[in-house]
Amino acid sequence: MKTMQFRCKLLSDVILNVKAATEGNQNTLDFIPGNNFLGIVATDYESFNDQQRLDLFHNGIVRYGDAHPVSKGSATRSLRVPASMFYPKLQSIEDKCYIHHAYSRDQDHDGEGGKPQQLKQSREGFYEFSANEGVAVHTPKAFAIKSAYDRSQRRALDSQMFGYESLRKGTEFLFEVETDRDEYAPLIIDHLVGKHQIGRSRTAQYGLVEITVDEFGQPGSTDHFFMHDDKKTVVVYADSRLVFLDENGELTFQPKPEDLGLEGKIRYDLSQIRTFQYAPWNYKRQTRDADRCGIEKGSVLVVDVPDGFQIENATSRYVGNFNNEGFGRVIYNPAFLIADISKNGLSVITMKKPSRTVARDNNTKKATLDGTSLLVYLAKKQKDADAISAIYREVNQFVATNQSKFRGQQFASQWGAIRSIATTSSNYEDLMKKLFSNMITVPRDPTPDNPSTSVKRDIAYLAHGIAAERWKKMSRKDCFEKFVNHIHTAYHEKFGDITVQAVINLASEMAKICKQ
């Protein structure tokens, strides 16, 4: 078997729709499926003999792998973030990452009050994995509004507007092509290298790519078996989408261990499987083929295997169907899914955000955002974005520190009322008056003991009624008032009055937490 490695650079924006629908919101894939490269070679379909056509395009002798995004200048092919990676809510995967099949909720006491943490599944993004870290890869996208063209009138068609999301020009991808017959390698390289068109709207400004031969590294299979309940298990990572057929020839989401090239039993309780469905477009016949359903890229399956079982050569391989189009590539026991059992399944690798460091000349001066209407507008947008970030940071800090003080449906409804009050408040002073202190004078009938005809009352929401009694306990009112005052004093000079917006965000988040 011979493996050829390539780099694909986008010379223009590229559209690869997630769904076959022609109406509604259209999103693009964040990778390039292998069938696009099969299609490039197949442009000369008629020039091949029958045996070459069968081997190159149909029977899986040649397998065109998916192209994954890569950081600029990097020589490591990225992988979709594994679905078995979880991180605590209100944090990020870079802060703490658990491996699902090694994590036990019963042993998790790191949450509030010694309770289990609420974990969130990682689903989006690609990471370049090395021995001890995984670095996120930024995949930029663009969006454009288009209109259908009326050729007879030489103008845009009425009521025919639509939007295209696309992969941005300049992004680079890495992919492999495998062949079981080495003599096909020069032919495949000759057809792939160069400039080509892929994706939708290729007759417009979309779809131009340049493919070159390159060498790169990527994670592979290991012989590091995971032990669970004293049983040997194999962790199977889906590097590409997986499609399986059952004994009746029907598509299935429940493969057998044999379909994965293993023996034993699949542990669905330890696995994390995501699915997909789409209808492939057949350009030659100008129609769509039958729907394909399968297991999504990034899914992780855990299989109990016999004690004496060994993975042959511990190599990655293709399983299932449609291998010729890049479906079915799996990695066994990848190093990036190894967990620390003594730390309740914490990942042994460190997840990091993408590096966006840009070299800058020390003598370069940064232009100020003023002087023109456009720069003034951009400065305002930047200021608004910074204000939102500051609000989110302060709200997350308040929630992490004080959420244990607010539990129960009654606080959920009260935070909802606070949000309504903040929505109708005009500024910091108005908000403070409505929530914490609003003394008014109301008339009263005099009595022999008290001849006064009026009395002062505090009608602020948190200063009277049932709410006042509950909020005095555990310093609930004090910590909330301290938050409001802190927002006003810390950010008023930089961003203006953002207190109302901060309270709206805080009340919304706390209302959800109280219901849990």
Side-chain angles (χ1 to χ4, degrees):
M1 184 181 75
K2 186 176 182 60
T3 300
M4 297 153 282
Q5 296 184 325
F6 300 91
R7 183 179 294 264
C8 177
K9 182 177 181 180
L10 307 190
L11 301 182
S12 67
D13 291 354
V14 173
I15 301 171
L16 300 166
N17 283 354
V18 174
K19 298 180 180 179
T22 56
E23 294 184 1
N25 188 31
Q26 293 293 322
N27 296 321
T28 190
L29 294 170
D30 51 5
F31 67 98
I32 303 177
N35 52 22
N36 287 272
F37 307 116
L38 182 152
I40 291 174
V41 180
T43 53
D44 288 338
Y45 191 84
E46 299 299 331
S47 66
F48 303 120
N49 60 45
D50 290 343
Q51 186 60 47
Q52 288 176 328
R53 293 171 188 165
L54 187 64
D55 293 341
L56 288 171
F57 311 117
H58 302 295
N59 60 10
I61 293 295
V62 178
R63 299 171 288 277
Y64 302 85
D66 293 340
H68 290 179
V70 62
S71 301
K72 195 167 185 178
S74 175
T76 302
R77 179 174 175 268
S78 63
L79 300 178
R80 172 68 61 80
V81 60
S84 61
M85 286 187 171
F86 284 72
Y87 58 91
K89 191 175 182 181
L90 301 180
Q91 297 185 38
S92 67
I93 193 173
E94 291 83 16
D95 298 326
K96 186 183 291 186
C97 176
Y98 291 95
I99 305 300
H100 173 262
H101 53 262
Y103 166 81
S104 173
R105 185 171 175 81
D106 294 336
Q107 299 177 17
D108 187 353
H109 306 292
D110 294 336
E112 187 68 28
K115 296 181 180 179
Q117 303 170 89
Q118 184 174 356
L119 301 184
K120 184 177 181 180
Q121 184 183 47
S122 300
R123 296 185 176 184
E124 301 296 333
F126 286 81
Y127 285 79
E128 294 174 351
F129 292 102
S130 61
N132 57 2
E133 66 180 19
V135 180
V137 178
H138 178 58
T139 311
K141 295 183 180 181
F143 183 81
I145 298 293
K146 300 292 182 181
S147 174
Y149 184 66
D150 187 342
R151 296 180 182 274
S152 61
Q153 300 294 325
R154 297 184 180 179
R155 63 179 182 86
L157 278 172
D158 294 334
S159 304
Q160 292 293 320
M161 298 289 289
F162 55 92
Y164 272 150
E165 184 183 66
S166 58
L167 295 170
R168 193 179 292 276
K169 172 184 176 181
T171 310
E172 296 183 352
F173 296 78
L174 297 177
F175 70 98
E176 290 183 337
V177 178
E178 294 182 4
T179 174
D180 294 335
R181 297 182 61 178
D182 294 357
E183 63 268 25
Y184 286 143
L187 185 150
I188 294 170
I189 294 174
D190 181 62
H191 280 77
L192 281 179
V193 172
K195 296 181 180 179
H196 305 281
Q197 296 278 349
I198 63 173
R200 295 196 58 176
S201 294
R202 288 174 288 181
T203 56
Q205 79 269 32
Y206 293 103
L208 182 62
V209 301
E210 182 177 22
I211 299 176
T212 56
V213 176
D214 200 354
E215 293 184 1
F216 55 85
Q218 60 181 329
S221 299
T222 71
D223 55 3
H224 181 90
F225 289 90
F226 172 70
M227 302 299 295
H228 188 272
D229 294 337
D230 297 327
K231 293 183 178 180
K232 180 188 289 187
T233 63
V234 174
V235 178
V236 183
Y237 169 80
D239 182 14
S240 66
R241 294 175 167 184
L242 311 181
V243 178
F244 299 99
L245 301 178
D246 61 16
E247 59 274 10
N248 298 317
E250 299 289 338
L251 294 168
T252 179
F253 294 116
Q254 296 181 321
K256 298 178 180 179
E258 294 76 15
D259 296 328
L260 299 172
L262 302 172
E263 303 173 10
K265 177 183 178 182
I266 297 179
R267 292 289 303 273
Y268 286 104
D269 57 324
L270 301 179
S271 303
Q272 285 295 321
I273 300 174
R274 303 187 67 216
T275 61
F276 73 92
Q277 177 181 357
Y278 84 104
W281 173 259
N282 189 303
Y283 183 80
K284 183 69 175 179
R285 294 188 287 108
Q286 289 293 298
T287 187
R288 296 197 180 276
D289 290 337
D291 279 8
R292 289 184 183 172
C293 307
I295 296 175
E296 184 60 89
K297 181 190 302 285
S299 297
V300 177
L301 295 95
V302 179
V303 183
D304 283 342
V305 295
D307 290 337
F309 180 83
Q310 294 294 329
I311 301 175
E312 184 178 356
N313 299 324
T315 59
S316 305
R317 58 175 294 185
Y318 280 83
V319 298
N321 301 89
F322 305 113
N323 296 162
N324 56 320
E325 299 179 26
F327 290 86
R329 190 174 191 275
V330 297
I331 303 176
Y332 299 111
N333 298 324
F336 54 82
L337 287 180
I338 298 176
D340 189 340
I341 303 299
S342 64
K343 296 182 180 179
N344 197 22
L346 272 177
S347 174
V348 298
I349 67 171
T350 302
M351 306 296 282
K352 295 184 177 181
K353 294 181 179 180
S355 176
R356 299 189 182 183
T357 303
V358 180
R360 182 185 297 273
D361 188 348
N362 292 332
N363 297 322
T364 302
K365 295 183 179 179
K366 186 177 180 180
T368 58
L369 293 179
D370 55 14
T372 68
S373 299
L374 175 60
L375 290 177
V376 170
Y377 169 78
L378 293 176
K380 183 180 182 304
K381 297 297 288 184
Q382 182 63 54
K383 182 178 178 181
D384 292 343
D386 292 342
I388 291 295
S389 297
I391 289 173
Y392 288 166
R393 185 170 59 253
E394 294 291 349
V395 168
N396 288 341
Q397 181 62 38
F398 182 92
V399 170
T401 306
N402 300 292
Q403 62 177 328
S404 61
K405 298 178 181 179
F406 302 91
R407 293 293 183 186
Q409 186 64 37
Q410 70 274 19
F411 284 111
S413 60
Q414 288 171 8
W415 278 110
I418 291 173
R419 185 184 186 281
S420 298
I421 292 171
T423 303
T424 59
S425 299
S426 57
N427 51 38
Y428 164 75
E429 290 78 11
D430 186 29
L431 181 64
M432 292 292 292
K433 187 176 181 180
K434 291 179 179 178
L435 288 178
F436 302 106
S437 179
N438 186 12
M439 301 298 296
I440 64 171
T441 302
V442 295
R444 66 177 295 274
D445 294 331
T447 64
D449 297 331
N450 188 352
S452 176
T453 59
S454 64
V455 65
K456 289 187 176 181
R457 290 182 181 173
D458 194 343
I459 62 171
Y461 178 69
L462 297 179
H464 75 285
I466 298 177
E469 298 176 2
R470 291 173 178 163
W471 281 70
K472 284 181 181 179
K473 297 178 181 179
M474 299 177 65
S475 301
R476 295 184 178 105
K477 181 181 176 182
D478 292 341
C479 70
F480 179 38
E481 188 172 4
K482 182 179 178 180
F483 169 84
V484 178
N485 287 323
H486 169 70
I487 294 293
H488 180 69
T489 56
Y491 300 105
H492 185 270
E493 183 176 350
K494 184 176 182 180
F495 301 123
D497 194 347
I498 61 172
T499 314
V500 171
Q501 191 175 3
V503 172
I504 291 174
N505 279 270
L506 176 64
S508 300
E509 188 64 29
M510 289 300 296
K512 291 186 290 186
I513 291 175
C514 292
K515 293 179 181 178
Q516 295 175 359

